Amino acid sequence: MKKFTKIIIIGLLTITLSACNENKTVCDCPDDVPNKDQIVLEISNQITELYEQKIDETVTVTSKNGDGYSLGSGFIFHSDNEFVYILTNSHVITDEENIEVLFSDQIRVSAEMFNKSPENEEDIAVIKTKIDPKYTYKKATLGDSDESKVGELVFAIGSPLVIEFRGTVSSGIIAGKNIRVTDRYFDRYMTMIDVSINPGNSGGPLYNLQGEVIGMNTLKSNPDPNNPNNYLNFAIPSNHIKLVIKSFFDMQSYTQPKLPITYVEIPELTLQQRINYNISDDITSGLFVVSYDSSKIGSPIDVITKINGVEIIRGIDYINELNKHQPGEGVDLTVMNRDGLSAPRIQRVTVVANG
């Protein structure tokens, strides 16, 4: 059993241990039941050990920005006979001709852009630096973000705020998965974390307690402009990072596939929104198409329930299915009218590039 599951039972352990201490006849507690302090210490020690193992996988990334520089984080994920490849966020790289990487042992080298996606799409960049035969490079392992759980303990290593804080660690839990975030950078499904991250952490790794990178720390977002201090923290899931970097190496570019529509998730609609859109109460899942490009979509579309026969319940299902296709390819949509009265029909639509 993963160690993070022990956190969930701390409250129960506290109650049980208290009962045992007050009256031994209340329960027959085994002598080896760990108490709360032991569990916290065990997890703390595990993060300390992992930090010591993983710090050499991480780097600080700087890029010229006017008279100063932009600051971010990154991590080594690949190497070949000539270069070491580092992942970071696209928005960290403000000047592709002036990139520097600072390794954990304070060795500073110049780097160059290998490939990146625009900030308003994926916000993922790969930079590379020439291999120094005198240096040993430690590569991070990209884990399976689909296997991560809400409530799971995670930690981040990065360079928050100023370069003097490079290589620092913060920890917390996964607060949510597949959260749709509309920010100044992109409209993307991300992992919400309560790990403390700040400018400078961008591009750095989010680790699980198995020492795998399950996300890239990317942004702080405030969905409530009336409360300027209420920021939430988000990371790009590692499985999506894998998809993008595979395209970088296979095709030398990545274009986010999409359909020429804007949509809302039907499960997220309020009762008033359903009334405003005249959506039948019988329709409980899928995507409601708010607007579309009639020159590319063909017949009007109200609700999308499947893509190529795969059920679309939430927006993340839509993203996952489209990621299997390239712009210019066709997909079969199962669509229905918002009143729910007409039989579903199949409509062929061509995938387009984002932007």
Side-chain angles (χ1 to χ4, degrees):
M1 181 179 293
K2 293 181 180 179
K3 289 185 173 58
F4 70 81
T5 57
K6 294 181 180 178
I7 289 295
I8 300 172
I9 62 171
I10 284 178
L12 294 176
L13 283 172
T14 303
I15 295 171
T16 303
L17 291 170
S18 298
C20 290
N21 290 336
E22 292 173 5
N23 186 351
K24 270 288 187 180
T25 62
V26 173
C27 65
D28 186 15
C29 298
D31 295 333
D32 60 349
V33 173
N35 61 38
K36 180 171 63 176
D37 291 339
Q38 289 173 325
I39 293 173
V40 172
L41 179 60
E42 180 182 352
I43 294 171
S44 175
N45 288 340
Q46 186 174 5
I47 291 176
T48 298
E49 292 173 5
L50 283 169
Y51 172 80
E52 293 171 352
Q53 296 170 15
K54 300 299 174 180
I55 182 62
D56 290 340
E57 300 173 356
T58 68
V59 302
T60 298
V61 180
T62 60
S63 180
K64 188 175 180 181
N65 187 7
D67 294 331
Y69 62 89
S70 66
L71 174 68
S73 304
F75 55 98
I76 303 166
F77 76 99
H78 179 65
S79 64
D80 55 26
N81 293 330
E82 187 176 2
F83 293 101
V84 173
Y85 297 85
I86 295 165
L87 274 162
T88 188
N89 283 131
S90 297
H91 73 260
V92 170
I93 310 300
T94 50
D95 184 348
E96 295 184 17
E97 302 302 319
N98 291 277
I99 307 171
E100 290 188 346
V101 170
L102 182 62
F103 291 98
S104 61
D105 60 0
Q106 314 312 314
I107 293 178
R108 187 188 297 270
V109 298
S110 61
E112 59 184 282
M113 180 62 68
F114 174 71
N115 215 328
K116 71 173 184 177
S117 60
E119 295 176 17
N120 63 348
E121 291 186 14
E122 308 305 311
D123 201 9
I124 296 172
V126 174
I127 58 177
K128 63 181 183 179
T129 184
K130 287 189 176 181
I131 285 180
D132 184 339
K134 301 188 298 294
Y135 193 85
T136 300
Y137 300 94
K138 192 170 183 181
K139 290 175 284 189
T141 299
L142 284 167
D144 184 353
S145 54
D146 288 345
E147 293 298 315
S148 62
K149 307 294 183 184
V150 173
E152 181 176 350
L153 279 171
V154 289
F155 66 97
I157 300 177
S159 305
L161 299 177
V162 293
I163 200 167
E164 288 78 10
F165 295 162
R166 63 189 179 276
T168 53
V169 64
S170 55
S171 63
I173 63 169
I174 294 175
K177 294 181 61 178
N178 299 326
I179 306 297
R180 190 180 185 187
V181 181
T182 303
D183 197 83
R184 64 192 178 100
Y185 291 125
F186 47 60
D187 181 354
R188 171 57 54 197
Y189 289 85
M190 305 187 74
T191 300
M192 183 190 293
I193 55 176
D194 78 344
V195 178
S196 176
I197 60 173
N198 289 282
N201 280 112
S202 292
L206 180 72
Y207 289 100
N208 61 19
L209 292 193
Q210 286 69 53
E212 301 167 327
V213 175
I214 56 168
M216 178 191 292
N217 304 310
T218 297
L219 61 85
K220 299 168 72 72
S221 179
N222 182 2
D224 184 2
N226 296 320
N227 292 288
N229 296 320
N230 289 348
Y231 279 92
L232 302 172
N233 302 330
F234 294 91
I236 302 173
S238 58
N239 283 4
H240 191 70
I241 296 171
K242 293 176 188 177
L243 178 72
V244 174
I245 60 178
K246 184 178 186 301
S247 294
F248 282 174
F249 281 88
D250 290 349
M251 298 180 292
Q252 299 301 307
S253 65
Y254 178 81
T255 302
Q256 180 183 344
K258 61 173 290 187
L259 297 180
I261 64 171
T262 58
Y263 67 88
V264 291
E265 299 178 355
I266 287 178
E268 297 299 316
L269 293 175
T270 65
L271 178 59
Q272 187 58 53
Q273 287 174 317
R274 294 182 69 96
I275 293 172
N276 292 343
Y277 289 134
N278 295 317
I279 298 175
S280 168
D281 292 340
D282 295 330
I283 301 175
T284 58
S285 63
L287 307 180
F288 177 71
V289 179
V290 178
S291 63
Y292 57 89
D293 185 338
S294 58
S295 66
K296 297 178 180 178
I297 208 74
S299 302
I301 292 177
D302 281 349
V303 177
I304 298 173
T305 60
K306 295 180 182 179
I307 298 179
N308 290 339
V310 177
E311 189 172 14
I312 305 300
I313 298 176
R314 305 290 294 267
I316 188 63
D317 305 316
Y318 163 84
I319 295 294
N320 289 340
E321 283 307 307
L322 286 187
N323 278 335
K324 300 174 183 177
H325 299 274
Q326 297 297 320
E329 296 179 358
V331 293
D332 290 326
L333 306 182
T334 301
V335 300
M336 59 190 304
N337 294 339
R338 70 185 74 192
D339 59 17
L341 299 177
S342 303
R345 68 182 189 278
I346 303 297
Q347 186 162 327
R348 187 77 170 175
V349 176
T350 300
V351 177
V352 299
N354 192 32

